[in-house]
Amino acid sequence: MALTGRAALLAALGSIPVGVLEPSWAGLLAVNGPIALACAVDYALASPVRTLVLARSGDSSVRLGEPADVHLTVSNPSNRKLRARVRDAWPPSSWVAGTEAAASRHEVVVPAGERRRLTTRLRPTRRGDRRADRVTIRSFGPLGLWARQGSQVVPWTVRVLPPFTSRKHLPSRLARLRELDGRTSLLTRGEGTEFDSLRDYVPGDDTRSIDWRATARRPKVAVRTWRPERDRHILICLDTGRTSAGRVGDSPRLDSSMDAALLLAALATRAGDRVDLLAHDRRPRAQVQGRSAADVLPSFVNAMATLEPELVETDSRTLVSTILRNAPRRSLVVILTSLDAAPIEEGLLPLLPRLTQRHTVLLASVADPHVAAMAASRGSADAVYEAAAATQTQAQRHRTADQLARHGVHVVDSTPDTLAPSLADAYLSLKAAGRL
């Protein structure tokens, strides 16, 4: 069977007599001449790289933790077959560690005048915009001895959105909202509830809900039903200052706050309330205002995607001024920040009267579950010291929460896994009590 390509060349070199391989001009020419000729021919037959036409398509957004497929179309307008290795480069955070080589490198053969589509599967590990780097193509000749190489920049951006893992809690909170809304047998009446309808009295109903005028016109006792007020304004404020950069578990505090904000926004829009967003440290970093109910959640997710903690101290005075400017009428102001004593006592606490005299204020903070585990640890001297430090930290957070409560602020202090549902429950409690 005849040998071709690299195998034929090696066989030919192996048949050269040993004497020819001596270090003489004749030997060098005898050995290097066939190799140089083969390489030159291989290079000449390799498809040119500069004439290739590259184009992208595919996913432009994806939730964190999910895969995104980006397609690269390679068109070969030359009259030579393209045999190439392609590297589609992206930032390191576009891949799970150890998977970049397998996902970004492709082998492709494109006949003359045709095109092929390559798919690069990204698995981003961080939120934000991931922009494609250059595409490097190495075009080989038929023998595989020589290659042409070149790079092209083919722009494409994939926006990595927050994962919204707390979505699983939404059905149970919506069920409770329907109960508050008078659509099931449970009927509540609060200070700020609205009259909904009349129905017949049944044993167990609150006698204060009896409508005596309507009863006088009916053969049976009539009872008023109530529903929480709608069209309330809610302003969710994300603190993006240095304290939001601290990691609790596997993610920064800011990411846990975002997840809680998304669940609250989804619930409040279903309840008929208007929800706005403000991300702030020393200045506003993102704002979402005046969106329709159907557009609130997509707008929130898109605005949060590129937010990163800033390693600066949050300017509480500017934050409060921005809140008052964005919420001129009575609103529920939800501030997602830390319960560290210094930022609260020196920054936010002196300014709270300006907020609480006009708005209902709810402050939510991410608690570290490791601190609770340390507080319960025993068995060694080190564990006892850790327990003492953790207990002191917990006591300090409780004192800060009590100070906020004395100023009329409702406080939610929960671990990352429970912050979102706890904040949603606090909202429903305020709504049921007519405090919005």
Side-chain angles (χ1 to χ4, degrees):
M1 182 176 64
L3 298 176
T4 59
R6 188 179 307 178
L9 179 62
L10 294 176
L13 292 176
S15 64
I16 297 176
V18 176
V20 177
L21 299 178
E22 295 178 358
S24 63
W25 286 108
L28 291 174
L29 289 175
V31 174
N32 295 333
I35 295 178
L37 179 60
C39 291
V41 172
D42 206 36
Y43 179 80
L45 294 178
S47 178
V49 175
R50 291 183 179 180
T51 59
L52 296 177
V53 179
L54 307 180
R56 290 194 186 274
S57 60
D59 296 331
S60 58
S61 64
V62 65
R63 289 194 181 277
L64 182 64
E66 297 179 357
D69 290 335
V70 179
H71 309 300
L72 179 69
T73 302
V74 182
S75 301
N76 180 17
S78 70
N79 56 2
R80 304 172 199 166
K81 180 185 288 188
L82 173 68
R83 306 170 185 85
R85 292 176 189 165
V86 180
R87 181 175 183 264
D88 189 5
W90 289 76
S93 58
S94 303
W95 327 87
V96 177
T99 64
E100 177 183 359
S104 64
R105 289 165 171 79
H106 310 275
E107 301 277 347
V108 65
V109 176
V110 185
E114 297 187 13
R115 61 185 177 184
R116 295 291 184 270
R117 190 174 75 171
L118 309 175
T119 299
T120 300
R121 171 155 287 192
L122 308 179
R123 288 188 176 274
T125 57
R126 292 179 57 188
R127 288 180 296 100
D129 290 339
R130 299 292 168 267
R131 293 181 174 83
D133 203 341
R134 65 194 66 188
V135 176
T136 302
I137 300 177
R138 182 173 294 176
S139 172
F140 292 92
L143 300 178
L145 297 173
W146 208 262
R148 303 169 185 260
Q149 181 169 309
S151 298
Q152 293 188 31
V153 177
V154 189
W156 192 261
T157 301
V158 175
R159 173 156 289 188
V160 186
L161 307 173
F164 194 11
T165 55
S166 62
R167 186 190 295 270
K168 61 187 177 184
H169 299 290
L170 186 58
S172 61
R173 271 60 191 180
L174 288 176
R176 186 178 171 193
L177 179 64
R178 286 192 293 270
E179 293 175 352
L180 296 178
D181 221 10
R183 278 176 258 185
T184 64
S185 59
L186 179 61
L187 298 171
T188 61
R189 181 178 181 180
E191 197 176 281
T193 54
E194 298 175 342
F195 171 72
D196 184 33
S197 61
L198 294 172
R199 63 170 175 81
D200 292 339
Y201 173 85
V202 295
D205 284 339
D206 189 347
T207 55
R208 291 175 297 178
S209 297
I210 297 176
D211 189 320
W212 296 107
R213 290 187 178 182
T215 299
R217 298 191 298 268
R218 295 162 57 106
K220 295 183 179 180
V221 177
V223 177
R224 291 185 178 185
T225 63
W226 308 86
R227 68 179 182 187
E229 291 180 339
R230 295 174 175 268
D231 199 31
R232 302 294 94 184
H233 180 226
I234 300 172
L235 178 59
I236 301 176
C237 304
L238 290 174
D239 181 359
T240 57
R242 64 169 183 84
T243 57
S244 67
R247 299 187 71 86
V248 178
D250 296 331
S251 60
R253 283 189 171 92
L254 180 59
D255 286 33
S256 300
S257 298
M258 287 180 181
D259 196 50
L262 290 174
L263 180 63
L264 177 58
L267 182 62
T269 52
R270 298 287 187 91
D273 293 331
R274 296 173 290 110
V275 188
D276 293 338
L277 173 70
L278 170 66
H280 194 285
D281 40 73
R282 287 189 174 178
R283 62 179 179 83
R285 300 290 177 178
Q287 285 184 278
V288 177
Q289 292 180 304
R291 301 302 173 92
S292 63
D295 196 37
V296 164
L297 209 56
S299 299
F300 271 41
V301 168
N302 195 55
M304 291 177 180
T306 57
L307 281 179
E308 294 293 343
E310 299 290 334
L311 300 182
V312 296
E313 197 71 47
T314 299
D315 187 343
S316 299
R317 188 173 300 277
T318 305
L319 172 62
V320 170
S321 298
T322 306
I323 290 173
L324 294 174
R325 186 168 58 252
N326 290 351
R329 293 184 295 175
R330 184 166 186 81
S331 307
L332 171 63
V333 177
V334 180
I335 304 175
L336 288 138
T337 185
S338 74
L339 265 181
D340 294 347
I344 294 293
E345 294 175 1
E346 298 175 10
L348 188 61
L349 206 60
L351 303 170
L352 278 178
R354 295 177 56 192
L355 279 179
T356 54
Q357 69 182 359
R358 186 185 301 182
H359 304 298
T360 301
V361 181
L362 174 59
L363 187 143
S365 179
V366 182
D368 191 345
H370 184 60
V371 174
M374 288 173 58
S377 62
R378 298 293 187 274
S380 67
D382 290 341
V384 171
Y385 279 113
E386 289 181 355
T391 302
Q392 184 178 9
T393 300
Q394 290 177 327
Q396 191 176 52
R397 291 178 71 88
H398 292 156
R399 284 196 299 270
T400 304
D402 290 341
Q403 285 182 301
L404 292 169
R406 286 195 292 271
H407 283 77
V409 177
H410 306 271
V411 179
V412 175
D413 187 20
S414 299
T415 61
D417 293 337
T418 60
L419 179 65
S422 298
L423 181 59
D425 291 340
Y427 162 76
L428 291 173
S429 298
L430 290 173
K431 199 168 187 66
R435 299 290 300 278
L436 301 187

